[in-house]
Amino acid sequence: MDWTILGQPRPRSVHLTPTARARLSHLAELRDVSSPAEAARASAEFSGEPGFAADLLAVRPWLSPATPKREVLGALLDSEWTGFLALLGEYGPWVYVSTVRDLQTLSARYGELITAASGADEEAVWNASQGTVFPSLLARLEATDYRRPGQGGGDLAALEAAFWAEAAAQARGRYEGRRRNR
């Protein structure tokens, strides 16, 4: 299995401590984006992070995928209004949500994916990683030694699709609400 095809040049090169393993789905970053100045500051700080722009743009077809990384949060603020920028786990996705409840929902979906993937074998993770139309969260996790095969499993492709579907539904709802209120 050639993980470089999925953007993972060094699979399992990060050895997780038990504490780090337990935090895989915990918030690694959280910012309140309530003004254009805050959007600009957060963009300047995080635009170089892996997955930042790709994750945020993946579920927003109304924004150009060519939007410069430093302009992504400004575009989100303009199209969806204020919200929270969060990184779900050190190796997880970047999300932009309007409420803590939305953040909890996405965090729970991501946690379900990690739990299932951690019990799967490499072939199952590889196969599920190839089927996603969005940036593969499973391929990102492969940077670590998070998997402990035999402790579970599940339909990984469906779990990852459910995460992205929820993120897209939340973004679409905010976008449509913002358009109605203009």
Side-chain angles (χ1 to χ4, degrees), residues 24 53 60 65 106 165 182:
L24 275 175
R60 293 171 171 89
L106 288 177
R182 282 188 166 179

Side-chain angles (χ1 to χ4, degrees), residues 7-30:
Q8 190 50 261
R10 298 183 59 212
R12 294 171 301 285
S13 61
V14 176
H15 300 286
L16 298 171
T17 65
T19 304
R21 185 177 313 286
R23 288 192 321 254
L24 275 175
S25 63
H26 291 211
L27 285 178
E29 195 65 54
L30 179 65

Side-chain angles (χ1 to χ4, degrees), residues 23-179:
R23 288 192 321 254
L24 275 175
S25 63
H26 291 211
L27 285 178
E29 195 65 54
L30 179 65
R31 294 292 168 90
D32 184 3
V33 180
S34 57
S35 69
E38 180 54 39
R41 277 192 297 277
S43 289
E45 185 174 349
F46 299 121
S47 63
E49 294 291 320
F52 175 77
D55 292 348
L56 296 171
L57 293 171
V59 296
R60 293 171 171 89
W62 54 90
L63 295 176
S64 169
T67 302
K69 291 178 180 183
R70 286 184 169 250
E71 295 175 18
V72 169
L73 281 180
L76 295 181
L77 183 65
D78 185 52
S79 66
E80 297 175 35
W81 200 233
T82 62
F84 298 103
L85 171 69
L87 175 60
L88 303 180
E90 193 171 335
Y91 300 93
W94 287 92
V95 297
Y96 186 75
V97 299
S98 59
T99 67
V100 172
R101 182 181 182 149
D102 289 346
L103 183 57
Q104 290 171 327
T105 300
L106 288 177
S107 186
R109 296 255 182 194
Y110 183 60
E112 291 168 2
L113 176 64
I114 289 173
T115 300
S118 67
D121 63 26
E122 184 174 8
E123 184 175 356
V125 174
W126 168 257
N127 290 337
S129 296
Q130 295 182 76
T132 183
V133 296
F134 296 107
S136 176
L137 303 176
L138 293 167
R140 251 186 251 176
L141 284 169
E142 282 301 307
T144 72
D145 62 350
Y146 77 101
R147 282 187 288 105
R148 297 291 184 251
Q151 298 177 2
D155 188 342
L156 302 178
L159 288 169
E160 184 158 351
F163 170 85
W164 287 116
E166 179 65 30
Q170 288 182 15
R172 168 76 53 202
R174 286 190 308 280
Y175 173 69
E176 290 173 356
R178 177 86 165 134
R179 287 183 60 202

